[in-house]
Amino acid sequence: MIQRRGYSFIHKASSLLMVICLIPTVITGCGKNSSNGSEDEVPMGRYVEEEIAMPDGVAKGKEIAFQLLKNPDGALEIVSCNRSNTDDEYIYEYDGNTWNKQETDWISKASDLKNMLNMSYGGDGSIYAMYLEYGEKSSQVEIAKIKKDGSIEKVTIDDYKSEMQFDKTPFSFLETGKDSYVAIGFGSGNIYKDGKNIDSFEIGDYPFAYSNNQIMALTKDSTGIQVVDINTGEIVNELKLQDNNIPQAFSADNQGNWYVVSAGGLYRIAKDGKTWELVIDGSLTMMNDPSISIDTVVIGTENDFYIMYEGEEGKRSLYHYYYDKDMPTTPSTTLTIASMEEIPTIKNAIQYFQKSNPDIKVDYQIGLQDNTAMTKEDYIKNLNTELLAGKGPDILLLDGINVESYIEKGVLEDLGDIINPLLDQDELLDNVISNYKKEDKIYCFPIRVGIPVAYGETDAVQATTSLQSLTYFAATHKNPPIFEDQFLNTTDLINIMNLCYSSDFIQDNKVLEAEMKEFLLSLKEMKEELVLVEGDQEEGMDYFSINGDNFGDSLSIYYKKQSLSIRILNNMYDTYPIYEAIEKNKGTVDAIGNQFIPQGLISINAACKKKDIATEFIGILLSDKVQSKNLSDGFPINQKALDEFQKAKDDFTFYDRDSFEATQPSEDKRQEIIAMIRKVNIPITDERLRNLFMEDAKDYLEDKIDLDTATEKIMSKVNVYLNE
């Protein structure tokens, strides 16, 4: 379980209220396109995104905004709490220009419990405030009604007369009629009349919206959305998700039409309808930014929307979306970017780029997605065809692709004019970038890096200098073993050692046959020293995903079940359980062989006709404002952003049910990690080349084929790859 300290383990969730305005789908008019002296008609009309400054305390990080809602007068309100003492809560009303703090003496008077988690408005303008207090194993809930004259009434709910289990605790409470209410918790809703629970229904976890005695929420398995009639508890409408993006906020109007917000955009679903109408394209807005999450959507009074977002450390921001009839419906210019798999940093940079360039649309094309049957080989074949024909995307992400082949074919642009000035000013990591210089030209470079590290007992970490020394250590140190018994399978073992030591036999994009044979022999010796799991533990899951957020390897080090672990660091959060484990047992952590994993190998298509635009995008991509975002896809190559990674304070906590509790390491420990990143200088070759011998290496380790046969089969695959 993961918990953010200093704040309730469920964020103070927004109560999505019934609102009073019907929003049309996007209306387009016509303008004139005279870029070539022609009078072509251009469709006009688009929603514009504009940031609204938050209340001063929220903007400065002293307060956490936990609720955005609209009061009975139609004005926006923000509910916030003091960051250092969440019992101190405030309400601000927006007059269209400034936030005005409201009188909130009633907050402390309405309940003996200290923490107001949620507020909503009833039909007569009264406020319903839900208070929550957590104990070690249960929670207490109280509801208060604050009338317009300032008087306070307790709302008696039988379920809340005694303490509740955490999983039964609601996070929102709404009036649905006279003495009638609905309470929404994680995975369920409860209907109350005169204080008694008269019915319940299942839904997915947050978010939800309420309108006209109906609730819209995710389905229980989060594969769709459903509308529940709270009079009967029955599902009256159900829809499949529109795209791969899970909805993060819902709202509704008084006509029963629903609004759904996801990374894909803001959609309208007519009452009882089955069709998703795209009102705002998410790719042109903050909705598609992976560095933030969508918290709440509120519909305004003039065919407009307000969306509150949550960023790092719980910081909220607010954006207004209003219709501009004079804005072209679609930007006049398109910049195309393509990658085999989604890269969060690219998506984040797109948001910054489009803020500065509203007349340019960035079309980010991701080859392999959940709803496609395309394989990696299909993607590469299609891309090769496009590039060799002088076509293809403007900007390329080359992870998993034979870069040397593209350089030889002349399809990549020299990026030296972009990178060299930044290197001269010491803005980027030269220890990383210098590996990508080819005769004073730079055709590609990674936008982030991952660092393979070894940690655990000091002697075990020191033994990772070579596969041979690690194998010897495994043979001579059995208590504890280097890897916990029955923890890895053969595939896991190959993955780990392949990653750490592939540079011994893959050099200059070539496989050295003799060195590869030696690697396979040592790998087989290593296998014989370990107690592995028979077969695959879980289809499609490798060692590094098993030991991601589960931090099982750190627990094994902590409890002395193994002496060593190898892990890829992609962000500072990865270091929390590592340092907790090694500090208890006086161990150490170190980068393996000064190697790094290039993440997001970027280049510009030599046939690109918009090189100035592509260059501007890469400049934003390398800026500290993008690079400093912790998106779990690698450490920054921007020097200033790397310093910010070290200095950033955080209250995130990993813990298990026993005594293991991992918080942010001290600044000197964080400096240790940053020093490793500034020292690594050997790129680990691309994953496709490393993986070419996985199948045959496994067959060899399991005695299905001999060493010579394995070598012959591997080299045949390598030659095909190099000749692509």
Side-chain angles (χ1 to χ4, degrees):
M1 182 177 182
I2 298 172
Q3 177 177 350
R4 183 174 291 280
R5 283 288 175 84
Y7 195 41
S8 165
F9 80 96
I10 53 175
H11 290 301
K12 295 189 171 185
S14 299
S15 157
L16 301 178
L17 304 180
M18 180 175 70
V19 292
I20 60 172
C21 174
L22 175 61
I23 300 298
T25 55
V26 174
I27 303 170
T28 62
C30 288
K32 299 293 184 181
N33 180 1
S34 57
S35 60
N36 295 310
S38 66
E39 293 292 320
D40 297 335
E41 291 187 341
V42 177
M44 302 297 287
R46 186 186 351 152
Y47 274 90
V48 176
E49 178 180 76
E50 183 177 78
E51 186 170 11
I52 294 177
M54 293 294 261
D56 191 57
V58 176
K60 292 180 177 178
K62 296 178 180 179
E63 299 171 25
I64 298 172
F66 64 84
Q67 194 171 359
L68 171 72
L69 65 160
K70 190 163 66 174
N71 67 25
D73 297 325
L76 284 181
E77 289 185 335
I78 289 281
V79 188
S80 69
C81 63
N82 189 303
R83 183 176 287 274
S84 58
N85 180 6
T86 57
D87 296 339
D88 294 337
E89 294 164 314
Y90 320 99
I91 300 174
Y92 299 90
E93 182 179 286
Y94 189 59
D95 64 9
N97 293 299
T98 58
W99 293 97
N100 302 299
K101 185 178 282 190
Q102 304 299 291
E103 187 281 315
T104 54
D105 287 348
W106 59 265
I107 292 179
S108 59
K109 296 176 181 177
S111 173
D112 293 332
L113 304 182
K114 296 179 180 179
N115 190 356
M116 184 182 74
L117 181 67
N118 175 269
M119 62 172 274
S120 61
Y121 285 97
D124 62 357
S126 297
I127 293 173
Y128 286 90
M130 186 177 79
Y131 292 82
L132 180 67
E133 192 167 291
Y134 291 107
E136 289 187 5
K137 297 182 179 180
S138 59
S139 59
Q140 285 183 281
V141 178
E142 287 185 3
I143 309 295
K145 180 178 181 179
I146 300 87
K147 297 183 176 180
K148 296 187 75 172
D149 62 7
S151 61
I152 299 172
E153 288 182 1
K154 299 287 185 183
V155 178
T156 302
I157 302 295
D158 289 352
D159 285 351
Y160 304 164
K161 289 180 179 179
S162 57
E163 293 190 354
M164 307 181 70
Q165 296 300 310
F166 289 145
D167 59 350
K168 304 295 183 184
T169 302
F171 59 71
S172 192
F173 187 89
L174 302 173
E175 180 192 68
T176 59
K178 180 175 173 52
D179 297 323
S180 300
Y181 311 97
V182 61
I184 303 295
F186 287 102
S188 67
N190 288 290
I191 303 167
Y192 296 98
K193 178 69 175 175
D194 298 322
K196 300 189 180 303
N197 188 332
I198 61 172
D199 206 349
S200 62
F201 52 90
E202 285 192 345
I203 55 176
D205 289 343
Y206 184 81
F208 80 99
Y210 168 76
S211 175
N212 298 329
N213 288 322
Q214 291 185 338
I215 293 285
M216 172 173 274
L218 291 169
T219 55
K220 193 69 175 175
D221 60 3
S222 297
T223 60
I225 57 177
Q226 63 187 17
V227 178
V228 178
D229 186 327
I230 63 172
N231 292 319
T232 64
E234 294 180 358
I235 296 172
V236 295
N237 196 8
E238 190 167 359
L239 297 89
K240 290 293 184 183
L241 295 185
Q242 173 66 11
D243 47 38
N244 291 325
N245 301 304
I246 300 292
Q248 298 179 57
F250 297 122
S251 195
D253 60 42
N254 63 339
Q255 303 299 313
N257 302 299
W258 302 97
Y259 296 87
V260 182
V261 187
S262 72
L266 187 148
Y267 299 86
R268 175 183 181 271
I269 300 172
K271 182 181 179 180
D272 302 325
K274 296 288 187 181
T275 302
W276 298 65
E277 296 178 56
L278 182 64
V279 179
I280 303 174
D281 183 352
S283 68
L284 299 174
T285 71
M286 297 296 290
M287 300 175 209
N288 199 39
D289 187 343
S291 71
I292 57 177
S293 60
I294 299 161
D295 187 286
T296 312
V297 58
V298 169
I299 304 175
T301 57
E302 298 180 357
N303 293 349
D304 54 344
F305 301 87
Y306 296 87
I307 297 180
M308 185 164 74
Y309 297 92
E310 180 181 357
E312 291 183 349
E313 300 181 24
K315 187 174 182 180
R316 265 55 167 200
S317 56
L318 180 64
Y319 283 79
H320 184 208
Y321 298 84
Y322 61 91
Y323 190 77
D324 184 344
K325 64 182 177 59
D326 297 321
M327 177 77 72
T329 301
T330 303
S332 56
T333 302
T334 300
L335 178 73
T336 55
I337 302 175
S339 65
M340 189 180 299
E341 297 178 342
E342 182 177 290
I343 300 174
T345 296
I346 295 294
K347 293 183 69 175
N348 182 239
I350 289 171
Q351 308 312 311
Y352 284 100
F353 179 83
Q354 291 193 152
K355 277 185 183 179
S356 304
N357 299 276
D359 58 336
I360 300 174
K361 176 179 172 61
V362 180
D363 180 14
Y364 183 23
Q365 302 167 356
I366 303 166
L368 306 183
Q369 301 194 71
D370 292 340
N371 61 351
T372 180
M374 181 177 285
T375 65
K376 291 182 179 181
E377 289 70 25
D378 293 335
Y379 176 82
I380 294 169
K381 186 181 296 183
N382 293 342
L383 184 61
N384 287 345
T385 301
E386 288 278 298
L387 294 177
L388 292 176
K391 301 177 182 179
D394 300 307
I395 293 177
L396 305 164
L397 280 303
L398 302 173
D399 303 62
I401 294 174
N402 185 356
V403 175
E404 294 296 328
S405 173
Y406 280 11
I407 293 173
E408 291 171 6
K409 290 179 173 68
V411 298
L412 303 182
E413 183 75 10
D414 176 21
L415 306 179
D417 289 345
I418 304 173
I419 300 304
N420 287 325
L422 297 175
L423 290 173
D424 291 342
Q425 297 168 34
D426 198 31
E427 292 186 27
L428 303 179
L429 295 178
D430 185 63
N431 57 303
V432 171
I433 301 295
S434 61
N435 291 278
Y436 297 89
K437 291 185 176 180
K438 302 283 184 182
E439 298 177 353
D440 295 326
K441 294 187 176 183
I442 302 173
Y443 294 102
C444 67
F445 63 91
I447 61 175
R448 290 188 183 265
V449 294
I451 311 296
V453 298
Y455 68 98
E457 293 181 8
T458 301
D459 290 347
V461 172
Q462 291 174 346
T464 60
T465 53
S466 70
L467 179 55
Q468 290 76 18
S469 64
L470 186 58
T471 300
Y472 178 77
F473 186 90
T476 55
H477 295 75
K478 299 289 190 180
N479 188 22
I482 61 167
F483 299 124
E484 184 178 350
D485 291 350
Q486 297 291 322
F487 190 62
L488 304 179
N489 59 34
T490 302
T491 301
D492 296 330
L493 179 64
I494 298 170
N495 268 326
I496 299 167
M497 301 307 158
N498 183 12
L499 183 82
C500 296
Y501 303 111
S502 60
S503 58
D504 291 346
F505 60 89
I506 301 178
Q507 297 174 12
D508 298 324
N509 207 43
K510 296 178 181 178
V511 175
L512 307 178
E513 185 173 338
E515 285 77 1
M516 185 186 68
K517 274 191 171 183
E518 185 177 347
F519 171 82
L520 290 172
L521 283 168
S522 295
L523 193 59
K524 191 162 192 177
E525 292 175 12
M526 169 71 78
K527 178 179 180 289
E528 292 170 357
E529 300 298 339
L530 302 175
V531 180
L532 301 179
V533 177
E534 293 292 333
D536 291 329
Q537 292 165 312
E538 200 167 330
E539 188 68 28
M541 178 176 284
D542 64 23
Y543 171 81
F544 295 105
S545 57
I546 292 172
N547 293 277
D549 290 340
N550 296 324
F551 58 94
D553 49 349
S554 293
L555 288 175
S556 294
I557 298 288
Y558 185 86
Y559 293 116
K560 294 188 175 182
K561 294 180 180 179
Q562 64 187 57
S563 61
L564 178 70
S565 184
I566 293 170
R567 181 172 179 171
I568 301 170
L569 300 186
N570 280 313
N571 58 64
M572 279 299 187
Y573 289 124
D574 292 339
T575 68
Y576 292 21
I578 287 176
Y579 275 108
E580 181 64 25
I582 64 176
E583 286 182 5
K584 177 177 183 288
N585 296 314
K586 296 182 173 56
T588 190
V589 56
D590 200 5
I592 298 176
N594 284 333
Q595 299 179 107
F596 66 88
I597 301 171
Q599 312 273 41
L601 272 175
I602 195 165
S603 185
I604 294 177
N605 185 349
C608 173
K609 306 299 184 186
K610 306 161 194 157
K611 290 189 174 67
D612 55 338
I613 298 175
T615 296
E616 182 184 353
F617 179 83
I618 290 179
I620 289 175
L621 183 66
L622 294 176
S623 67
D624 58 277
K625 63 186 176 185
V626 171
Q627 291 270 311
S628 62
K629 295 292 176 61
N630 189 353
L631 301 175
S632 299
D633 58 350
F635 285 94
I637 62 166
N638 177 289
Q639 297 272 23
K640 184 177 178 181
L642 201 56
D643 288 336
E644 290 180 21
F645 263 53
Q646 174 196 332
K647 295 173 184 176
K649 301 271 193 256
D650 186 78
D651 58 2
F652 199 78
T653 300
F654 292 90
Y655 67 92
D656 71 352
R657 295 178 181 177
D658 298 315
S659 58
F660 186 87
E661 188 172 292
T663 56
Q664 185 182 38
S666 61
E667 188 164 349
D668 64 316
K669 299 298 183 187
R670 303 199 298 273
Q671 174 58 37
E672 254 182 30
I673 299 298
I674 300 303
M676 289 181 200
I677 296 167
R678 288 195 163 114
K679 187 174 65 172
V680 295
N681 57 11
I682 300 174
I684 295 177
T685 192
D686 75 74
E687 183 181 4
R688 276 187 73 225
L689 185 53
R690 294 200 319 271
N691 287 346
L692 285 176
F693 70 93
M694 287 295 300
E695 179 183 355
D696 302 311
K698 184 179 179 183
D699 285 347
Y700 167 63
L701 263 60
E702 293 178 347
D703 295 321
K704 295 178 181 177
I705 57 177
D706 61 27
L707 180 61
D708 289 336
T709 302
T711 302
E712 182 180 342
K713 295 177 75 173
I714 291 168
M715 293 306 296
S716 175
K717 292 176 182 177
V718 168
N719 290 330
V720 171
Y721 169 81
L722 295 177
N723 289 319
E724 283 183 345

